Amino acid sequence: MSTYDTFTEDLKRIAALGSISGLLEWDEQVNLPPESADYRARQSSAMSELVHREATRSQVGEWLAELKEDTSLDLDQQLVVSEAGKEYDRLTKIPADFVSRKAELTSLAFHAWGKARADNDFASYAPYLERNLELAKEEASYLGCADDPYDYWIDRFDPGMDATSIQRIFKGLKDELVPLVRQILDSSIKANTDCMKDFPVDRQEAFLREVTERLGFNYRRGRIDRSLHPFCSGNAFDTRMTTRFFKDNPLDSLFSSIHETGHGLYEQGLPHEHIGTALGEAAGMAVHESQSRLWENQVARSPEFWKFWEPVYRETFDQQLSGVSSHDFYLAVNSVALNPIRVDSDEVTYNLHILLRFELEKALFEGSLAVSDLPEEWNRLSEQIVGLRPRNDSEGVLQDVHWSGAAFGYFPSYCLGNLLAAQLWYALLEQVPSVPEEMAKGNFSPVLDWLRTNVHQHGRRRFALELSKEVTGQDLSHVSLIRYLRERYLPLYSS
Amino acid sequence: MSTYDTFTEDLKRIAALGSISGLLEWDEQVNLPPESADYRARQSSAMSELVHREATRSQVGEWLAELKEDTSLDLDQQLVVSEAGKEYDRLTKIPADFVSRKAELTSLAFHAWGKARADNDFASYAPYLERNLELAKEEASYLGCADDPYDYWIDRFDPGMDATSIQRIFKGLKDELVPLVRQILDSSIKANTDCMKDFPVDRQEAFLREVTERLGFNYRRGRIDRSLHPFCSGNAFDTRMTTRFFKDNPLDSLFSSIHETGHGLYEQGLPHEHIGTALGEAAGMAVHESQSRLWENQVARSPEFWKFWEPVYRETFDQQLSGVSSHDFYLAVNSVALNPIRVDSDEVTYNLHILLRFELEKALFEGSLAVSDLPEEWNRLSEQIVGLRPRNDSEGVLQDVHWSGAAFGYFPSYCLGNLLAAQLWYALLEQVPSVPEEMAKGNFSPVLDWLRTNVHQHGRRRFALELSKEVTGQDLSHVSLIRYLRERYLPLYSS
């Protein structure tokens, strides 16, 4: 075997080991008995330690050194080597004692955050957040990014992206989105979601199973289970999604399942033979999010989608929907309302929450904002950008888990994913004009086929910026998302 | 930290890693999507390889060498060291290429067995079985047991046990059990299990959950799920049982769940702080089986058990049981009938199946029986010992999976477990005479407390033979089992 083949076999083996860590987490969220958490932590940490040791063997470094000089490698192979090298650098340059210190401190911060949120007491959490910020900067410094730690973190989640590019993109978005939201909210037409009551959970489950299967999720290599918060984990060989059910909020479960299905379809579409290498891995969080959002929003909130599914839905829930007109139902599916909580927000107002967080993260990293001033700045900017002032810090600066784990620079990916989804959507409609018509007949394979060809099969060959340029011919920007939101929401909310 | 402490910490870490392999298997049986099996095999083999590597590090050998000379260790610590040393020897003396060759060949044999059983074609499987026998002998030879390979395998599952001891014990059992079975079968009284029809699965599930919880299974550190074949895996920190449901055979699920609960209670009763060392591990398969059997048979087929549970059972299944008298129901719980299949046999005839298999395994290892003659010898001995001749090889020599995995010497443990269960039961009744009365009130904690004190908390301090002697004052023998079967079944089947 060539060094390249030996090396990629080893990458795949390490990925298989890593996927076991993933399964431990899935099982923790889905199955773990309540008092088994301590032991699970022990299993997970023993496993992570082993995977880390395997991935940082000096043998790996030797292979990398040899392959970086190997001029016979083609472009794909060079990508595999350079991406693996980047990961190897990250794993070997960050000192082991920093890794365990960070794990310990973020675990403390996570618990402090939970308590602070419950008690509406930001001050008790502030020292932890300050330390997390320092940890994030320290980690960046090990990778030679002491001068631009925020860029380091953004690049971690979306390679090739940085704060300057995001600021430019978000500026355009903010200028158009803020007035659009006002326009929709000022409408006298209001969606009524209170009509959705008493939907039996077993029937919700059967319906979403039918929907997600028809969208293309391969249940022969995947499952859907229940957990407190929906997520998607695993890889193309065994993709595991979760959802949760509320009797009086059936759309939550349905749309979050379709969202996770979007993630799952991406994973299932990555080239199986390359899983564990850059050719078989997702191209960053924005691209991943573009996939979940495209299915959840562009597809599943469309009139064509519901043209096909509404009769099935009504048959499943005849009693519950008997007094609800088609128009009111479709309006409920596309309800828009300001919500102080990001994760409870609709697709129109959601992005405002991200603009807010990006401004704050940037200021924190630049040093122009002190952690102690964060709650007030959150509230001030929230009023300005989102359009409401949280009633308290629990509903404001304390609402998200991310910072408690020192995960900075992650929020922008959500919004970039929304932008990319809309951009991909219009490219798809242009290239395959029959998509709406096919969806109305319950045929979603033209959508999936196009995503497979243009996104999934490429692994990490194209990150968000290149992908956008190559597939849609346009730079990543706010233009398509604004167009999409206008086209979908203005007709609904114009009296 | 002392070398002993460092060493046992390492044993516990390796046990935690091993428990991850266990979880992968559990997940495979309970959750795995149908086409994810290949990847799971890859994950499992990558994991086993890592665990093997960790457990055979030269560092472990150095610790062992030092600790074997350490005269300051107490008896418990010496046990931990000697048991760990035995395992280290086994892992290091068996060559890696033999391990992978065996894994590959037994995997082929497993598939050949499945096909042969489906096709009733022993001849196609015979070459695989011959090779498995050779593999078993080869493995024994690496551990210095080339002269008595069958003893090696028996000792693997039940330390301290050998073919000679088993033969002596089984001789006594056969002499008394064969006529007892005839006596019961000759009775004009027959149990009627056909009356148990149409038991809704969700109610079966709720009932067995209530039963197993009251027996003492800790669901805060365990679960029960569904799988094709019932089993119990995990450890005291997270014990996972499975069962299966048949609408028309509710007793199958109930008793197999109680059986697995017996295994689970044993695991949950092992000293948590010692898990991963000999002080926190089960004392062999016979002892494990004694625990499952004691709960399944001595406890759950007793009149006192049903005095408490029958009203609840009737309330749960009022319609299904409306035409069934208490006497007929209790007779169904204690039904006795010859069955060619071991796993479908009742507790009276079950042991005959083991006597048969022991005779055959012994002859195979001694060389007095050729694999090609096995089917005929199976049928001949089956007629003589069990009392019926299988209609074909699928119902005869091909019925069990064990030999296809080169697992010889395992069958005797099932019967030894039955003997030990009966022996423990009479010791318990003598020491805690209120047990039947308490069971009739639904209080099973005197049983569990006694097992915790006399069996569970000792880990591997006492293997089956010593345990029997120390706890019951008697050598392990057929006496108690025969007494128990007579006392339970003769009154029921005497007209």
Side-chain angles (χ1 to χ4, degrees), chain A residues 198-364:
Chain A
D198 262 330
F199 282 60
V201 162
D202 56 341
R203 273 186 267 164
Q204 287 192 46
E205 197 166 17
F207 180 74
L208 75 80
R209 166 85 191 211
E210 194 182 339
V211 170
T212 52
E213 193 150 22
R214 190 175 268 268
L215 296 181
F217 187 82
N218 181 358
Y219 280 101
R220 297 184 312 285
R221 282 191 168 165
R223 352 183 346 119
I224 186 161
D225 292 271
R226 300 186 195 188
S227 67
L228 197 58
H229 300 290
F231 65 93
C232 178
S233 70
N235 61 27
F237 297 113
D238 184 0
T239 317
R240 304 215 174 173
M241 314 190 288
T242 68
T243 188
R244 58 186 173 189
F245 293 99
F246 303 105
K247 187 163 70 44
D248 295 340
N249 189 359
L251 296 180
D252 175 277
S253 177
L254 180 61
F255 281 96
S256 80
S257 300
I258 295 173
H259 178 100
E260 301 309 333
T261 297
H263 286 304
L265 289 172
Y266 185 19
E267 289 292 334
Q268 293 189 330
L270 290 164
H272 291 41
E273 67 278 22
H274 294 302
I275 286 181
T277 79
L279 297 172
E281 273 166 13
M285 292 316 304
V287 178
H288 228 309
E289 198 67 12
S290 77
Q291 299 306 293
S292 56
R293 291 302 199 157
L294 186 144
W295 289 99
E296 176 192 356
N297 295 329
Q298 277 79 19
V299 170
R301 296 188 201 274
S302 71
E304 294 82 7
F305 179 92
W306 285 104
K307 183 165 180 203
F308 179 78
W309 286 110
E310 192 185 335
V312 189
Y313 202 58
R314 285 191 180 273
E315 202 176 316
T316 314
F317 302 106
D318 52 346
Q319 222 179 319
Q320 290 78 4
L321 290 169
S322 60
V324 184
S325 73
S326 286
H327 180 78
D328 286 349
F329 173 70
Y330 187 62
L331 204 57
V333 162
N334 289 285
S335 132
V336 182
L338 284 189
N339 193 312
I341 306 296
R342 175 182 60 87
V343 295
D344 293 336
S345 297
D346 55 78
E347 66 162 329
V348 184
T349 58
Y350 183 94
N351 298 293
L352 301 174
H353 290 277
I354 302 302
L355 300 178
L356 164 70
R357 283 155 182 75
F358 173 70
E359 292 295 326
L360 294 168
E361 285 190 338
K362 211 163 77 60
L364 284 170

Side-chain angles (χ1 to χ4, degrees), chain B residues 107-126 128 393-394 398 400-401 404:
Chain B
S107 167
L108 293 174
F110 171 75
H111 291 289
W113 164 74
K115 195 170 177 318
R117 188 168 74 153
D119 300 346
N120 188 35
D121 175 17
F122 180 81
S124 70
Y125 168 58
Y128 295 91
D393 289 343
S394 295
L398 289 169
D400 298 306
V401 68
S404 80

